[in-house]
């Protein structure tokens, strides 16, 4: 989900009350740069270490006492701060949080944990995809080029290398815990069961790391006397919103997860716990996300206008507890976590046995989290879209009959300047003076405005058309002068007649992006392309990317995408597998997945996760399609 820039126009409205959900949320939107799908633990287990000593034996049950499990979980990593730095975190009711008896506390802050897990996932996928190059040696020149058949030792992940990476990552695996190894349970579980245990264990350890970062946000920043001295109470509420409720929710969730871990050395299930908390408690995340617009605006304004606030924030950020991380990275934690939870459950879902009770439990948890993510999408985008429409309307004047711009069901898809071929079509020649003239387009989800740019930030609208009445066609290559020219046909314009424009873009990618935005392929407008391309080219994100324009897609590390289109000048139009969002992004932030087996596995997992939603989604899409025809 993509964080949108907030318009500075208009007065600040009160934030949503922390005790109630936001009202009037829209039905569309994107979440801030979401966290990656898939477990970083999947390829860390060597098959040779999972061999069944007795194929017919049932996995043994090894309950542990509370003290034994406490000792076990403390081996994940000791915290670098003293316990008393975190014990006094207050809620509105005034009571303090204990340190969860020091049990499931990860050494890493959540930001660090997330970066390490996603980087490991990228490396593991490279191993599978035969990307890993052998160590430098005198024979390095004999290394085969990319795309040629790899040597046998590189055709599958190297278990030793994979385990070496995991041991240096700063967090442990379930199978690496000493009591797990000494119990002998690893010899009774099949490789698929090991992967499932790792997927569930990662959800717990990541929640512990997330909880630690939230506590630091509250104890180090929110409760800082020096920070409180620089801002008013209302500004505190704008910036921190209902973070105390989010913290309490995380603590309650983590305690239940801990209790489940204490029941058995082999984790039975955790998706039932996720489902219960998502249904009953996670609504506080929606409230926090609804307040994002006001939070961003208040924080930006304080940084710009209040020197003492800026100095205190800078001083707090330098404390060793923050590990060099900025204050803003702590504020966006709830945005990132609610998406990450969905992806962690999605990862568990791909590893449980089909038709089992665990699959049903994971499906229920996944559906509830999807509802929450959609609610967060609506909340984070609704206000910024409305403000954007208000801002655009103030810049327009109409040469034709005016059209009302502001609507709750309208949002901007793309805007920008193109060159229009001028003069009557019969007299157009390459020798014509001023062959092209500038035209500025505002494309909304339901409307197109064609404008002439005036002095300042003013635009004169000279033609309009409904988006459903637009048609585009690429002009055949006719030399450099007419390169990147396409035809835009308005079946019915402002004068109720058909009209054709010839428009020139500055590059091939800009031309394709405009054509895709103006007229999306009607056959694929409501149905995911993923469901039809069984061997579609795929890429994985290796550098995070934040969208700069509405038609772009924000990417997080290790996101997997199907490639639907690409340009010669370095842009890709893709569909992200875990949420089926589409958009453009630069090819420099991704690398191609060449192994067809890896691509097939990625697609199978995607289809399995979304299979239960296909019927209802297609039904809704058919209804939407009938209304837009």
């Amino acid at each position: 989900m993509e964080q949108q820039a907030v318009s500075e126009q208009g007065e600040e409205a009160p934030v949503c009350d922390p005790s109630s959900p936001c009202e009037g949320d829209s039905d569309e939107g994107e979440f801030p740069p979401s966290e990656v799908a898939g477990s970083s633990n999947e390829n860390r287990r060597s098959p040779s270490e999972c061999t069944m000593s007795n194929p017919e034996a049932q996995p043994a049950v090894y309950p542990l006492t509370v003290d034994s499990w406490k000792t076990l979980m403390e081996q994940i990593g000791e915290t670098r701060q003293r316990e008393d730095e975190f014990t006094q975190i207050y809620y509105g009711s005034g009571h303090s949080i204990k340190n969860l008896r020091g049990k499931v506390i990860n050494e890493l802050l959540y930001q660090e944990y997330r970066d390490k897990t996603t980087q490991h996932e990228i490396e593991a996928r490279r191993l599978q995809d035969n990307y890993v190059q052998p160590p430098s040696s005198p024979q390095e020149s004999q290394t085969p080029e990319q795309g040629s058949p790899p040597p046998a030792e590189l055709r599958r992940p190297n278990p030793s290398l994979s385990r070496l990476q995991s041991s240096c990552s700063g967090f442990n695996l379930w199978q690496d815990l000493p009591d797990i190894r000494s119990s002998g349970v690893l010899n009774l579980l099949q490789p698929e069961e090991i992967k499932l245990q790792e997927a569930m264990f990662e959800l717990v350890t990541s929640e512990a790391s997330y909880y630690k970062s939230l506590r630091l946000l509250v104890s180090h920043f929110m409760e800082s006397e020096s920070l409180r001295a620089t801002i008013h109470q209302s500004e505190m509420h704008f910036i921190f919103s209902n973070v105390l409720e989010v913290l309490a929710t995380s603590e309650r969730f983590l305690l239940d997860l801990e209790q489940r871990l204490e029941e058995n050395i082999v984790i039975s299930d955790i998706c039932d716990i996720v489902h219960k908390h998502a249904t009953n408690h996670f609504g506080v995340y929606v409230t926090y996300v609804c307040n994002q617009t006001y939070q961003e605006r208040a924080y930006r304004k304080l940084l710009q206008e209040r020197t003492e606030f800026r100095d205190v924030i800078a001083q707090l950020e330098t404390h060793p507890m923050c590990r060099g991380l900025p204050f803003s990275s702590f504020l966006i934690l709830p945005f990132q976590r609610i998406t990450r939870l969905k992806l962690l459950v999605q990862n568990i879902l791909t590893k449980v046995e089909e038709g089992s009770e665990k699959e049903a439990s994971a499906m229920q948890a996944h559906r509830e989290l999807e509802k929450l993510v959609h609610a967060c999408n609506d909340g984070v985008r609704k206000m910024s879209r409305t403000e954007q429409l208000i801002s655009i309307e103030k810049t327009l004047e109409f040469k034709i009959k005016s059209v009302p711009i502001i609507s709750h069901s309208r949002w901007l898809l793309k805007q920008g300047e193109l060159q229009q071929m001028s003069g009557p079509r019969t007299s157009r020649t390459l020798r014509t003076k001023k062959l092209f003239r500038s035209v500025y387009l505002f494309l909304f989800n339901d409307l197109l405005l064609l404008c002439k740019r005036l002095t300042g930030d003013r635009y004169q609208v000279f033609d309009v058309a409904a988006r459903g009445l637009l048609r585009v066609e690429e002009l055949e290559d006719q030399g450099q002068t007419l390169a990147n020219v396409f035809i835009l046909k308005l079946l019915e314009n402002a004068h109720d007649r058909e009209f054709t424009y010839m428009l020139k873009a500055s590059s091939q990618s800009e031309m394709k992006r405009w054509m895709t935005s103006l007229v999306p392929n009607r056959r694929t407008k409501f149905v995911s392309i993923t469901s039809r391309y069984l061997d579609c080219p795929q890429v994985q994100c290796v550098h995070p990317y934040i969208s700069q324009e509405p038609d772009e897609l924000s990417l997080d590390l290790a996101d997997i995408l199907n490639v639907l289109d690409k340009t010669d000048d370095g842009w890709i139009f893709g569909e992200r597998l875990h949420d089926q969002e589409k958009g453009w992004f630069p090819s420099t932030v991704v690398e191609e997945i060449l192994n067809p087996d890896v691509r097939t596995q990625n697609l199978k997992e995607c289809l399995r996760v979304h299979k239960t939603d296909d019927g209802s989604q297609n039904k809704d899409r058919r209804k939407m399609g009938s209304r837009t025809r």
Side-chain angles (χ1 to χ4, degrees), residues 386-421:
T386 301
E387 290 187 351
Q388 189 176 41
L389 290 178
I390 294 173
S391 177
I392 290 174
E393 188 180 57
K394 291 179 179 179
T395 67
L396 301 178
E397 61 181 58
F398 286 82
K399 187 177 180 180
I400 55 176
K401 182 180 179 180
S402 63
V403 177
I405 300 300
I406 301 174
S407 170
H408 289 297
S409 60
R410 178 175 295 149
W411 64 92
L412 183 70
L413 291 180
K414 192 170 179 62
Q415 71 180 74
E417 190 171 76
L418 294 170
Q419 300 298 313
Q420 176 196 353
M421 182 174 282

Side-chain angles (χ1 to χ4, degrees), residues 594-613:
L594 297 177
N595 191 322
D597 293 334
V598 175
R599 294 198 300 265
T600 300
Q601 180 63 28
N602 293 336
L603 187 57
K604 283 182 179 179
E605 292 180 354
C606 171
L607 295 177
R608 181 181 179 187
V609 168
H610 295 287
K611 67 179 180 180
T612 57
D613 299 328

Side-chain angles (χ1 to χ4, degrees), residues 43 119-133 154-157 165 540-543 590-593 595 598:
N43 296 306
Q119 190 59 49
H120 180 91
E121 183 177 356
I122 291 172
E123 295 301 326
R125 197 174 291 133
R126 282 171 172 164
L127 282 169
Q128 282 187 305
D129 201 35
N130 304 319
Y131 268 124
V132 173
Q133 300 296 326
L154 293 180
R155 289 178 185 166
R156 289 295 175 189
Q165 291 171 333
Q540 71 166 334
C541 175
V542 293
H543 300 290
V590 297
E591 64 183 21
E592 187 174 1
I593 298 175
N595 191 322
V598 175

